[in-house]
Amino acid sequence: MAQPAPPVQENPIPPYVEGQAIVTSGGGYCYGGPHPAPGGGWEASQAPHMHNYAPFDLRLFAFKNGCYYFIGDPRDFGYNGQAYSYYGAHPILDAYGGGWCFMIGPHSHWWRPWSPYFTVVGPWYYWYGPYDPFFWAYWPYYSFYYRAYYPSYYAGGRFYSTWRSAPPITRVPSTGWRGSPPAATAATNGWHGTPVNGTSSALRSTGAAPAYRVPATGSGWRPAPVPYAAPRTTPFRAPGSGFRGFRGRH
Ligand SMILES: [Zn+2]
Ligand SMILES: [Zn+2]
């Protein structure tokens, strides 16, 4: 099977994240699951449901089957329930919206890791599986978003004091990030954390450990008994084990 070539266009804008949110035929907005509440705090509704307000920032939602699924870090938005600590970008299970989480560095989700391609590195779950063409196409956009906008607008619950959404991105700066895997990007841009040359002790020495820990084992999922590996720099390679964790385009 031929491997797709890396994207050649200049830092494209992803679909569904700029411009107006999509209204359902009934006139409201569909939310696929839990999400930050408009008045502050966390709305935990698990099932798809409707609201008369649009998502506050489409970059933090996956749009799938007409509904918006919150894919950001719930702990930045008032969620205090069970969370799992991740490090860097990773795919998102279809049931939780699909596509990719492009967050850089440590963050959390309320989803338990679902694939053996997540490995435990220090206190984090780290994706060491492949990155597909969708990821590479939009990594420059999202890495810019998560570096330049997310921290000052949303990190640490900031949104609930400012009520300001991050501005649109109409053009992604050309910063040399294109084609770089997350780990290499972090290492070459002076960003804190050194996820390459990985051992868990090296990761812990960055001082970026979150304030909570996740269990290394859980029912139905076990960390893969493989040594830590840096993200692959090769183009997407379909795994042969029936893995269906990522979906290219919506
Ligand atoms: Zn809701
Ligand atoms: Zn994530």
Side-chain angles (χ1 to χ4, degrees):
M1 183 174 105
Q3 292 185 0
V8 295
Q9 63 266 50
E10 184 67 24
N11 296 345
I13 304 291
Y16 303 120
V17 298
E18 297 289 353
Q20 296 295 312
I22 296 175
V23 181
T24 65
S25 58
Y29 299 92
C30 177
Y31 289 74
H35 62 89
W42 184 252
E43 187 187 305
S45 306
Q46 295 280 345
H49 59 282
M50 301 291 295
H51 288 297
N52 60 8
Y53 52 84
F56 64 96
D57 186 329
L58 298 181
R59 278 75 59 100
L60 298 179
F61 290 81
F63 185 69
K64 181 186 158 212
N65 296 337
C67 293
Y68 287 97
Y69 292 74
F70 180 75
I71 58 171
D73 186 335
R75 290 190 169 238
D76 284 337
F77 297 92
Y79 173 77
N80 292 312
Q82 171 75 66
Y84 300 88
S85 189
Y86 292 79
Y87 195 104
H90 56 85
I92 297 170
L93 191 67
D94 270 359
Y96 301 135
W100 287 85
C101 167
F102 291 85
M103 295 191 87
I104 53 179
H107 63 280
S108 70
H109 296 290
W110 55 270
W111 332 301
R112 176 192 298 275
W114 61 93
S115 161
Y117 280 103
F118 286 101
T119 190
V120 175
V121 179
W124 298 294
Y125 287 110
Y126 183 87
W127 175 255
Y128 75 103
Y131 296 82
D132 66 7
F134 184 92
F135 174 86
W136 291 118
Y138 301 120
W139 168 245
Y141 171 92
Y142 281 107
S143 58
F144 174 66
Y145 170 77
Y146 280 112
R147 197 174 79 154
Y149 290 119
Y150 189 93
S152 57
Y153 281 86
Y154 305 126
R158 190 160 304 193
F159 182 62
Y160 290 156
S161 59
T162 64
W163 302 107
R164 294 169 62 225
S165 295
I169 297 173
T170 55
R171 180 178 174 276
V172 182
S174 179
T175 56
W177 294 342
R178 182 173 49 162
S180 299
T185 299
T188 56
N189 281 317
W191 176 74
H192 74 86
T194 309
V196 293
N197 304 323
T199 65
S200 58
S201 61
L203 270 174
R204 277 194 292 269
S205 71
T206 64
Y212 54 94
R213 285 180 164 270
V214 294
T217 59
S219 59
W221 185 83
R222 299 176 197 284
V226 297
Y228 170 73
R232 299 173 185 174
T233 57
T234 51
F236 173 67
R237 187 190 306 267
S241 59
F243 170 66
R244 296 171 58 243
F246 41 75
R247 176 73 48 87
R249 296 175 192 278
H250 296 270

